[in-house]
Amino acid sequence: MKVLVANRGEIALRVMRTCRELGFPSVAVYSDADRDSLPVRYADESVYLGPTLASESYLNIAAVIDAAKKSGAEAVHPGYGFLSENEAFARAVEEAGMIFIGPRPETIALTGDKLAAKRIAREVGLPVLPGRDLPVDEAIPEDMAKGVTFPVLIKAVNGGGGRGIRLARSQEEMVQMVAAAREEARAAFGDDTVYLEPLVKNARHIEVQILGDGNGQILYLGERECSIQRRRQKLIEEAPAPGLSLSQRHHLFDAALKLAEALNYRSLGTVEFLLDPQGHFYFIEVNPRIQVEHPVTEMVTGIDLVKAQLLLAAENQLHYTQEQIRLNGWAIEARVLAENPELDFMPVTGDITHLREPGGPGIRIDTAMYTGMAITSDYDSLIAKVIAWGEDRQSAIRRLQRALGEFQIGGVPTDIQFLEGVLQSESFQVGRADTTYLEDFQMVPSGEDSANQEVAIVAALIAHNRERARTLAAPKGESASLWRGAAWREQMNGH
Amino acid sequence: MKVLVANRGEIALRVMRTCRELGFPSVAVYSDADRDSLPVRYADESVYLGPTLASESYLNIAAVIDAAKKSGAEAVHPGYGFLSENEAFARAVEEAGMIFIGPRPETIALTGDKLAAKRIAREVGLPVLPGRDLPVDEAIPEDMAKGVTFPVLIKAVNGGGGRGIRLARSQEEMVQMVAAAREEARAAFGDDTVYLEPLVKNARHIEVQILGDGNGQILYLGERECSIQRRRQKLIEEAPAPGLSLSQRHHLFDAALKLAEALNYRSLGTVEFLLDPQGHFYFIEVNPRIQVEHPVTEMVTGIDLVKAQLLLAAENQLHYTQEQIRLNGWAIEARVLAENPELDFMPVTGDITHLREPGGPGIRIDTAMYTGMAITSDYDSLIAKVIAWGEDRQSAIRRLQRALGEFQIGGVPTDIQFLEGVLQSESFQVGRADTTYLEDFQMVPSGEDSANQEVAIVAALIAHNRERARTLAAPKGESASLWRGAAWREQMNGH
Amino acid sequence: MAIYKVNVGKKIFMVDVTDDQICVDGKPVNASLTPLNEGGLFLLRQDNRAREMHVQAQGNSSYAVMVNGRHVMAQVEKGNVKNKRRAEQVDAGALIAPMPGMVVNVLVKEGQQVNQGEALVVLESMKMQMQLRSPFSGQVSKVSVASRTHVEKGALLVQVAGD
Amino acid sequence: MAIYKVNVGKKIFMVDVTDDQICVDGKPVNASLTPLNEGGLFLLRQDNRAREMHVQAQGNSSYAVMVNGRHVMAQVEKGNVKNKRRAEQVDAGALIAPMPGMVVNVLVKEGQQVNQGEALVVLESMKMQMQLRSPFSGQVSKVSVASRTHVEKGALLVQVAGD
């Protein structure tokens, strides 16, 4: 089965790796920015999509369908983001006679409408947050505000993944924000419908991985906790969720199963819940695609989720029963982002001038980064995922810490030190961090004084050497040869 | 517990990784050749041992003990090779008031004497190859030859690990070879005692991982198969061993357990067996140290063997019971060696000019290699271990194949393509390769013709460009700038 | 002999480099530096420790250093010289793009009166939207960008003249 | 325009490079080459495929190429020219160290008569011992090394004069 991967970056490479293991030829697609990307080099073939702007390449349904036809692909894997939750795309793939590796288009449509998904969840008995499952109308704010308890969240019906959520603390704020949210939703999702949802204070984010064959068989593959979020973007995820009781977990699995059965779910999906401090769960949404954080589930179940997706697409059946799915140990993922922690974690751009990846026991690295790669602002700032497995949570944390310390990325600042700070914080260590944890998280300055002095020594020695080179050697053309030359090596070793 | 790692290369780094996870400071030792090695950079501190020659550094007991004392280390981990099976070293460590992370010195002495080990194994009821457990005397070959069935193996009493084994097909050869073997054994092990052992034709090499607390508790952690050997050096290892029946495996575990109990074994050890085509096992030797291939056991048991060693040393107890040790899935390791497959796999030297390591699901890389590293002939030619885990043997093989295909090492030839050839061969795939498999293994030429043409195109284009650069640009100083320059980039992209 | 004043993480270190000794804040240190490759990777040995650092020169006197996964800037000044270069004077009322991205929305027009903290432009970069706000109250004297256009880092977006 | 005769894996390819076309053995191919870094990594695009290769020039006309984990040598000759350089003539009776290592044992003395295939020197490198044997029967005319000494690759170990 020839598979076109309609994505880029680490997830494209990750899908292609399993394709290769299964002997399925893979086809990469690329924009101008990704001409030399690792997925392009890894795939058996590649097709140019269009300009760098996502709307003209990775979000361009016609271009992707054309590429798939041109390459003779039999199936299309959408990855996450881009067109992965686009009903029209899934339909176009099927209408072009190819297999869409994901849920049926109607499932994507339904789960994409967050209110519709909540309605169905409510119908089949899942705990759903109180409040009307209705779109809000900006024309009648006073009326609308009746019965609303503040603070309240304003969410886009076609949003999801934490994007475009606003928190209103008063009726006045709500009125303003509904207008702004509609504006943003129209631009981002092409639909300005928004709805209100009560804020669950100090909620934890827990999600259940499901896998269905579209013919009634549904499996659940344990839960993940993704409470460590910044600006509603997940940063650290783990499986299982710490501190849940057996009955809580079965309650969760039952709920996910019920909803998936109601949808006669096909392929991979994630049912997301909030857990309030009193231990109550509330259904939030369904993500009808593979998740960024899927590796933690793979590591504790031993099941390659992409392989399950691909084999289901190729053979129309799952190769597991619920009894065969056993959880083993603990896995934690940390997202390495090209961000400047000194500048409020703003995404940064630059070239990767040096790279050394972690290795050794229990460590998995998913990345499409390479030395010389340009980090641009065109797509998102995720540059690598570091996933650690350990026999228990403590071992997994220590391994992840060890691996993050080994990860050398030169050329752009990253959030690695911040991730390390979170991992070593008391609340994370005991498994009690909720989704608000990072809002006022402060890094504990940790014995970096000695490192600062070392940095000062290095900077002074390099400055000294440059100056000397300037004095002794030819006055021009010095920059390129800054770091080389036997003379320098001898001089510096001589100390 | 501060740990000095009396080794180099990947195993030194691997031990330090677990030290870091446990919060144990690690101390590296290094020879002149390893001044800038990754273990030196990774350790919390490092101590210079001596010249490159191993006998003056890594094999120099006095130098290592001095380094350990100087650093204030509380324990010494010997890794594999070098001093790891040296009774005098273990004793010197203990006499200096430090913990030797390994078996007691007397256990090392006993397992180091292969005839003594066989005698004990025989006493406690293990199946041992027929033949006298006696050293042979080169003065009386005719007498000695009585009762010997040819071909017969000549082994050094202090050998092991496949080193210095000779195969004699006749009495005449035996007489010659015994002399040569004694000569080699004297040089290599400082003891020229050799013994005879019947050759088991088409034997498989199966070994059991054991872990004892030195106080009577012994655990077995499953078996490994290491039949894929070239020149008696293991090349591909896996856990579990394919095709063994449950009763065979329990028979093996019982035997290993019995021997370990007789030795009141402490720390990690491996009990090696031969399996003949009729399904009979024969005890061969005990390796009283961590093995190169330990990662496959770690991946199927989920137990960090070095962690178990370190915690046993620090706390004097094991943290597992036999019931907690569960095997899960399949793991296979391939040894990447700096060797020239075109020149009878001769070790090669050179600089690593390019390096990209495999990643993604189920892959573990243990290496101390880095871009710019010099591969010298001073130590052994192992430059990386690639270990793949899969839910079953087939998945593990495919992942390992995938990972080997991803591994880019520029600067020195490696055995990667050969490993790939073995992995895809029918006998390996069905799990029937024995220790003689590689003797007349022939690579199947596999669709490399298209790659050859591509190589030709690349070489011609580069030659063309160099020539042009020579003609157009300054006539001298061309070599360094061969691969760079915007002009070149544009030209080549222009096609 | 040369003394360097190095600013790292808001701390000042005086590093004195001679041919046979290095002193930090007057105290001799036992340190040596080895370049590990041509990509800017260095190994600093100090006493028994060896620490890898990745260093990129930025201009004449700044170095971006990656150490233990942390990125820090080091500013080096020749200690004896007092030639502090003044930071570029940026017009305080200029709203500059802090990163490359897409202008999602321009919320003001030229001549419009704005309050301090009022959102002027919505910029999106790498999935993240951010509102850029007016640094003070005043009048919009210039709007340099339009909605749905791409801007580079440092581009002038809107100019505000103070009251 | 230039034609290159390229020898790869015992096969000869005639590659014709002009400014707007590349032909292999007379057939045009749709190929382009991109250098990916300064370390010798290249990306060859041909039709819809992209293949990474790591290339190291060895001298003027040889290239060590790593492709898909396989190391192959490519010899390039300008097709129109007939200037084959003769391989260095090595004296057939010279026993040369095929790799750097430790001489474990010298099994012969100068003047000694040896048979073809007889072991002359035992060399150890990277844990492996190998016996170096006489290429033909004859007399040992020179022994250049002693036991327990280190030799570099290419060092003359023993010289044998044929009968």
Side-chain angles (χ1 to χ4, degrees):
Chain A
M1 187 175 72
K2 192 173 194 173
V3 180
L4 180 131
V5 184
N7 215 298
R8 63 178 300 283
E10 69 87 15
I11 192 63
L13 189 61
R14 192 260 165 274
V15 172
M16 289 171 193
R17 282 179 157 144
T18 294
C19 286
R20 194 176 281 184
E21 289 175 19
L22 294 177
F24 294 168
S26 59
V27 183
V29 290
Y30 60 95
S31 71
D32 284 326
D34 290 330
R35 227 185 115 74
D36 294 340
S37 72
L38 280 200
V40 166
R41 304 187 214 168
Y42 196 89
D44 293 287
E45 50 192 276
S46 55
V47 185
Y48 173 70
L49 274 187
T52 296
L53 204 63
S55 59
E56 299 184 39
S57 48
Y58 300 109
L59 285 171
N60 183 340
I61 295 180
V64 176
I65 297 289
D66 271 1
K69 284 185 188 161
K70 195 170 148 191
S71 69
E74 294 151 89
V76 174
H77 194 297
Y80 54 69
F82 294 124
L83 296 172
S84 63
E85 300 181 48
N86 188 309
E87 176 205 1
F89 177 64
R91 217 175 277 286
V93 168
E94 295 189 349
E95 280 166 6
M98 296 174 288
I99 301 166
F100 179 79
I101 299 174
R104 279 180 287 265
E106 49 275 27
T107 309
I108 295 176
L110 194 144
T111 58
D113 180 338
K114 304 304 169 194
L115 283 179
K118 281 176 82 172
R119 243 174 271 130
I120 290 204
R122 211 188 281 275
E123 277 167 33
V124 298
L126 265 65
V128 176
L129 283 171
R132 297 175 297 172
D133 299 336
L134 286 173
V136 295
D137 186 335
E138 78 186 298
I140 44 162
E142 270 89 14
D143 173 63
M144 186 181 81
K146 277 178 197 139
V148 172
T149 319
F150 293 95
V152 72
L153 293 170
I154 304 158
K155 293 179 156 189
V157 160
N158 279 294
R163 252 195 96 170
I165 299 178
R166 276 148 211 267
L167 178 68
R169 287 166 207 284
S170 67
Q171 187 171 333
E172 196 191 6
E173 267 196 1
M174 181 177 76
V175 173
Q176 283 174 5
M177 283 180 174
V178 161
R182 293 170 75 99
E183 170 69 18
E184 185 179 317
R186 187 182 305 122
F189 314 116
D191 178 343
D192 67 356
T193 318
V194 300
Y195 65 101
L196 301 181
E197 197 171 80
L199 173 73
V200 182
K201 282 183 190 153
N202 296 101
R204 287 167 59 187
H205 176 116
I206 314 263
E207 58 188 35
V208 178
Q209 177 69 60
I210 55 168
L211 173 63
D213 71 353
N215 284 314
Q217 195 196 347
I218 309 277
L219 305 174
Y220 55 88
L221 292 96
E223 83 283 4
R224 294 185 287 259
E225 165 140 26
C226 315
S227 296
I228 303 297
Q229 307 183 352
R230 199 177 52 216
R231 302 179 188 130
R232 302 189 194 280
Q233 295 299 320
K234 298 166 183 170
L235 215 52
I236 295 174
E237 302 102 336
E238 61 187 292
L244 292 195
S245 68
L246 247 173
S247 81
Q248 277 181 308
R249 299 179 71 226
H250 281 295
H251 182 60
L252 263 179
F253 299 155
D254 280 350
L257 213 50
K258 244 186 253 167
L259 183 58
E261 278 165 0
L263 299 170
N264 191 11
Y265 201 87
R266 184 183 80 186
S267 197
L268 285 183
T270 297
V271 187
E272 297 193 337
F273 297 89
L274 289 183
L275 171 62
D276 75 13
Q278 289 71 46
H280 302 120
F281 283 104
Y282 302 98
F283 165 77
I284 297 295
E285 64 182 55
V286 176
N287 291 148
R289 51 163 169 91
I290 194 153
Q291 303 271 99
V292 176
E293 61 269 25
H294 75 275
V296 294
T297 298
E298 295 186 326
M299 286 186 106
V300 294
T301 60
I303 292 173
D304 181 332
L305 295 178
V306 173
K307 179 175 168 183
Q309 276 189 310
L310 292 169
L311 288 183
L312 175 68
E315 304 168 1
N316 228 358
Q317 57 171 12
L318 299 176
H319 290 255
Y320 303 97
T321 62
Q322 191 63 52
E323 292 65 44
Q324 290 174 303
I325 295 162
R326 298 241 176 81
L327 302 186
N328 184 21
W330 213 281
I332 312 181
E333 170 180 284
R335 300 193 189 186
V336 178
L337 309 172
E339 289 185 348
N340 193 339
E342 315 262 295
L343 286 176
D344 198 23
F345 298 96
M346 209 140 66
V348 292
T349 60
D351 287 349
I352 302 297
T353 51
H354 170 67
L355 181 61
R356 190 154 71 234
E357 294 174 17
I363 299 301
R364 166 174 168 184
I365 307 293
D366 274 27
T367 182
M369 198 170 21
Y370 57 93
T371 311
M373 176 177 164
I375 307 293
T376 67
S377 61
D378 304 310
Y379 309 111
D380 82 24
S381 61
L382 178 73
I383 52 175
K385 305 189 305 203
V386 181
I387 312 106
W389 181 93
E391 53 193 338
D392 51 32
R393 189 167 187 267
Q394 190 54 37
S395 304
I397 293 175
R398 285 172 170 181
R399 276 195 176 155
L400 185 54
Q401 291 176 307
R402 193 260 295 162
L404 288 172
E406 288 176 18
F407 210 159
Q408 297 187 345
I409 301 171
V412 294
T414 69
D415 63 345
I416 285 180
Q417 199 195 9
F418 181 81
L419 293 168
E420 290 177 323
V422 175
L423 290 177
Q424 79 180 38
S425 70
E426 172 72 10
S427 294
F428 184 83
Q429 292 266 342
V430 301
R432 279 218 205 91
D434 62 48
T435 48
T436 64
Y437 183 56
L438 296 190
E439 280 173 18
D440 37 25
F441 174 75
Q442 290 295 324
M443 291 284 288
V444 179
S446 60
E448 293 295 348
D449 278 3
S450 83
N452 277 349
Q453 175 173 325
E454 290 179 1
V455 169
I457 294 172
V458 169
L461 287 175
I462 292 173
H464 185 64
N465 197 266
R466 286 173 86 182
E467 193 173 327
R468 212 195 279 217
R470 234 182 327 246
T471 323
L472 300 177
K476 52 187 170 178
E478 164 258 355
S479 68
S481 60
L482 173 61
W483 313 125
R484 58 184 69 154
W488 152 266
R489 190 174 281 268
E490 274 166 28
Q491 270 173 41
M492 302 321 294
N493 279 336
H495 284 287
Chain B
M1 184 175 76
K2 192 173 196 172
V3 180
L4 180 130
V5 183
N7 215 298
R8 64 178 300 283
E10 69 87 17
I11 192 63
L13 190 60
R14 191 262 164 273
V15 172
M16 290 172 192
R17 282 180 156 143
T18 293
C19 286
R20 192 175 282 183
E21 289 176 19
L22 293 176
F24 293 168
S26 58
V27 183
V29 291
Y30 60 96
S31 72
D32 283 326
D34 290 330
R35 228 185 114 73
D36 294 339
S37 71
L38 279 200
V40 167
R41 304 188 216 167
Y42 196 90
D44 293 287
E45 51 192 275
S46 56
V47 185
Y48 173 69
L49 274 187
T52 296
L53 204 64
S55 59
E56 299 184 40
S57 48
Y58 301 107
L59 284 171
N60 182 340
I61 295 180
V64 176
I65 296 290
D66 272 1
K69 283 185 186 161
K70 195 169 146 192
S71 69
E74 294 150 88
V76 174
H77 194 299
Y80 54 69
F82 293 124
L83 296 172
S84 63
E85 300 181 49
N86 188 307
E87 177 204 1
F89 178 64
R91 216 174 277 286
V93 168
E94 294 189 350
E95 279 165 6
M98 295 174 288
I99 300 166
F100 179 78
I101 300 174
R104 280 180 288 265
E106 50 274 29
T107 310
I108 295 176
L110 194 145
T111 58
D113 181 336
K114 303 305 169 194
L115 283 178
K118 281 177 81 171
R119 242 174 272 131
I120 291 203
R122 212 189 280 275
E123 277 166 31
V124 297
L126 265 65
V128 176
L129 283 170
R132 297 176 297 171
D133 299 336
L134 286 174
V136 295
D137 186 336
E138 78 185 301
I140 44 162
E142 271 89 11
D143 174 62
M144 186 181 79
K146 275 179 198 139
V148 172
T149 319
F150 293 96
V152 73
L153 294 171
I154 304 158
K155 294 180 156 190
V157 160
N158 279 291
R163 254 195 93 168
I165 299 177
R166 278 149 209 268
L167 178 69
R169 289 170 205 280
S170 67
Q171 186 170 333
E172 195 190 9
E173 266 196 359
M174 181 176 77
V175 173
Q176 283 174 4
M177 283 182 173
V178 162
R182 292 171 75 99
E183 170 68 21
E184 184 179 318
R186 188 183 302 120
F189 314 112
D191 178 343
D192 67 357
T193 318
V194 300
Y195 65 102
L196 301 182
E197 197 171 81
L199 174 73
V200 182
K201 282 182 189 153
N202 296 101
R204 287 167 59 187
H205 175 116
I206 314 264
E207 57 187 35
V208 178
Q209 177 69 59
I210 55 167
L211 174 63
D213 69 354
N215 283 314
Q217 195 197 347
I218 309 277
L219 305 174
Y220 54 90
L221 292 95
E223 82 282 5
R224 294 184 287 258
E225 163 138 29
C226 315
S227 297
I228 304 296
Q229 307 183 352
R230 199 176 53 218
R231 302 179 188 128
R232 301 187 195 282
Q233 295 299 319
K234 298 166 185 171
L235 216 51
I236 295 174
E237 303 102 336
E238 62 188 293
L244 293 194
S245 68
L246 246 173
S247 82
Q248 277 180 310
R249 299 179 71 224
H250 282 295
H251 182 61
L252 262 179
F253 299 154
D254 279 350
L257 212 51
K258 243 187 252 166
L259 183 58
E261 279 165 359
L263 298 171
N264 190 13
Y265 201 87
R266 185 183 81 184
S267 198
L268 284 183
T270 297
V271 187
E272 297 193 337
F273 297 88
L274 289 183
L275 171 62
D276 75 13
Q278 289 72 47
H280 303 120
F281 284 103
Y282 301 99
F283 165 77
I284 296 294
E285 64 181 57
V286 176
N287 290 149
R289 52 161 170 89
I290 193 154
Q291 304 271 101
V292 176
E293 61 271 25
H294 76 277
V296 294
T297 298
E298 294 186 326
M299 286 186 108
V300 294
T301 61
I303 292 173
D304 181 332
L305 295 178
V306 173
K307 180 176 169 184
Q309 276 190 310
L310 291 170
L311 289 183
L312 175 68
E315 304 169 358
N316 228 358
Q317 58 171 10
L318 300 177
H319 289 256
Y320 303 96
T321 61
Q322 190 64 51
E323 292 66 43
Q324 290 174 301
I325 295 162
R326 298 241 177 80
L327 302 187
N328 185 23
W330 213 282
I332 312 181
E333 170 180 284
R335 300 193 190 189
V336 178
L337 309 172
E339 289 185 347
N340 193 339
E342 314 262 294
L343 284 177
D344 198 24
F345 297 96
M346 208 140 67
V348 291
T349 60
D351 287 349
I352 303 296
T353 51
H354 169 68
L355 181 62
R356 191 156 70 235
E357 293 174 17
I363 299 302
R364 166 175 168 184
I365 307 293
D366 274 28
T367 182
M369 196 170 21
Y370 57 93
T371 311
M373 175 176 162
I375 307 293
T376 67
S377 61
D378 305 309
Y379 309 112
D380 82 22
S381 61
L382 178 73
I383 52 176
K385 304 189 305 204
V386 181
I387 312 105
W389 181 91
E391 53 192 338
D392 51 32
R393 188 165 187 268
Q394 190 54 35
S395 304
I397 293 174
R398 285 173 173 182
R399 277 196 173 153
L400 185 54
Q401 290 175 309
R402 193 261 294 165
L404 288 173
E406 288 176 19
F407 210 159
Q408 297 187 344
I409 301 171
V412 293
T414 68
D415 63 344
I416 285 180
Q417 200 197 7
F418 181 81
L419 294 168
E420 290 176 325
V422 175
L423 290 177
Q424 79 181 39
S425 70
E426 173 71 11
S427 294
F428 184 82
Q429 292 267 343
V430 299
R432 279 219 203 91
D434 62 48
T435 49
T436 64
Y437 182 56
L438 296 190
E439 280 173 17
D440 38 25
F441 173 75
Q442 290 296 325
M443 291 283 288
V444 179
S446 60
E448 293 296 349
D449 279 2
S450 84
N452 278 349
Q453 176 173 326
E454 291 179 0
V455 168
I457 295 171
V458 169
L461 286 175
I462 291 173
H464 186 62
N465 196 266
R466 286 173 85 183
E467 192 173 327
R468 208 195 279 221
R470 235 183 327 248
T471 324
L472 300 178
K476 52 189 167 176
E478 164 260 355
S479 66
S481 61
L482 173 60
W483 314 123
R484 59 184 70 157
W488 153 265
R489 190 174 283 265
E490 274 164 30
Q491 271 173 42
M492 304 320 295
N493 280 336
H495 285 288
Chain C
M1 196 203 107
I3 294 185
Y4 298 89
K5 182 177 167 188
V6 188
N7 194 325
V8 185
K10 290 167 196 152
K11 279 198 68 179
I12 304 283
F13 299 89
M14 298 302 296
V15 185
D16 185 352
V17 183
T18 64
D19 278 349
D20 52 0
Q21 193 171 262
I22 301 165
C23 290
V24 179
D25 297 336
K27 270 172 275 176
V29 294
N30 175 20
S32 75
L33 188 65
T34 312
L36 292 170
N37 63 24
E38 297 189 353
L41 192 66
F42 288 83
L43 190 64
L44 178 76
R45 292 174 201 275
Q46 196 177 350
D47 303 321
N48 288 330
R49 291 190 311 281
R51 184 138 25 191
E52 284 176 289
M53 297 195 198
H54 181 262
V55 185
Q56 277 191 297
Q58 305 200 332
N60 278 328
S61 56
S62 288
Y63 298 89
V65 181
M66 192 271 299
V67 52
N68 299 341
R70 190 170 66 115
H71 287 254
V72 290
M73 290 300 301
Q75 311 285 343
V76 183
E77 251 178 78
K78 200 85 185 267
N80 349 28
V81 196
K82 286 266 168 266
N83 62 342
K84 248 191 201 161
R85 283 168 38 203
R86 286 173 59 90
E88 289 171 50
Q89 275 294 80
V90 176
D91 184 344
L95 204 69
I96 299 292
M99 53 201 260
M102 170 69 74
V103 176
V104 175
N105 210 341
V106 180
L107 305 166
V108 291
K109 300 200 182 92
E110 280 183 20
Q112 187 175 329
Q113 204 62 30
V114 293
N115 295 319
Q116 179 178 351
E118 187 175 336
L120 306 183
V121 172
V122 182
L123 190 69
E124 178 170 312
S125 184
M126 302 191 198
K127 276 178 74 182
M128 194 180 91
Q129 286 205 357
M130 75 191 79
Q131 301 196 317
L132 303 176
R133 295 165 189 285
S134 184
F136 41 67
S137 300
Q139 197 181 22
V140 175
S141 57
K142 193 179 154 91
V143 172
S144 308
V145 289
S147 289
R148 316 299 306 158
T149 57
H150 187 87
V151 293
E152 290 305 315
K153 182 176 170 180
L156 176 68
L157 305 173
V158 169
Q159 179 83 43
V160 181
D163 286 328
Chain D
M1 197 204 105
I3 294 183
Y4 298 90
K5 181 177 168 186
V6 189
N7 193 325
V8 185
K10 291 167 197 153
K11 278 197 66 178
I12 304 282
F13 299 88
M14 298 302 296
V15 185
D16 184 351
V17 183
T18 64
D19 277 347
D20 52 359
Q21 191 172 262
I22 301 165
C23 291
V24 179
D25 297 334
K27 269 172 275 176
V29 293
N30 175 20
S32 75
L33 188 65
T34 313
L36 292 170
N37 63 24
E38 297 190 353
L41 192 66
F42 288 82
L43 189 64
L44 177 75
R45 292 174 202 275
Q46 196 177 350
D47 303 319
N48 289 330
R49 291 191 310 282
R51 185 141 20 193
E52 285 176 290
M53 297 195 197
H54 181 262
V55 184
Q56 278 191 299
Q58 304 200 334
N60 279 329
S61 55
S62 289
Y63 298 88
V65 181
M66 191 270 300
V67 53
N68 299 341
R70 190 170 66 115
H71 287 254
V72 289
M73 289 300 299
Q75 311 285 343
V76 183
E77 249 180 77
K78 199 81 183 270
N80 350 26
V81 198
K82 286 265 167 266
N83 62 344
K84 250 189 200 163
R85 283 170 41 203
R86 286 172 59 88
E88 288 171 51
Q89 274 294 78
V90 176
D91 184 343
L95 203 68
I96 299 291
M99 52 202 259
M102 170 69 75
V103 176
V104 174
N105 211 340
V106 180
L107 306 166
V108 291
K109 300 201 182 90
E110 279 182 21
Q112 186 174 331
Q113 204 60 33
V114 291
N115 296 320
Q116 179 178 352
E118 186 175 338
L120 306 184
V121 171
V122 182
L123 191 66
E124 177 170 312
S125 186
M126 303 191 199
K127 276 175 75 182
M128 195 181 92
Q129 287 204 359
M130 74 190 81
Q131 300 197 319
L132 302 175
R133 297 168 186 284
S134 186
F136 40 69
S137 299
Q139 197 182 21
V140 174
S141 57
K142 192 176 157 79
V143 172
S144 307
V145 290
S147 289
R148 315 299 304 161
T149 57
H150 186 86
V151 292
E152 291 305 316
K153 182 176 167 178
L156 177 67
L157 305 174
V158 169
Q159 179 82 44
V160 181
D163 285 329

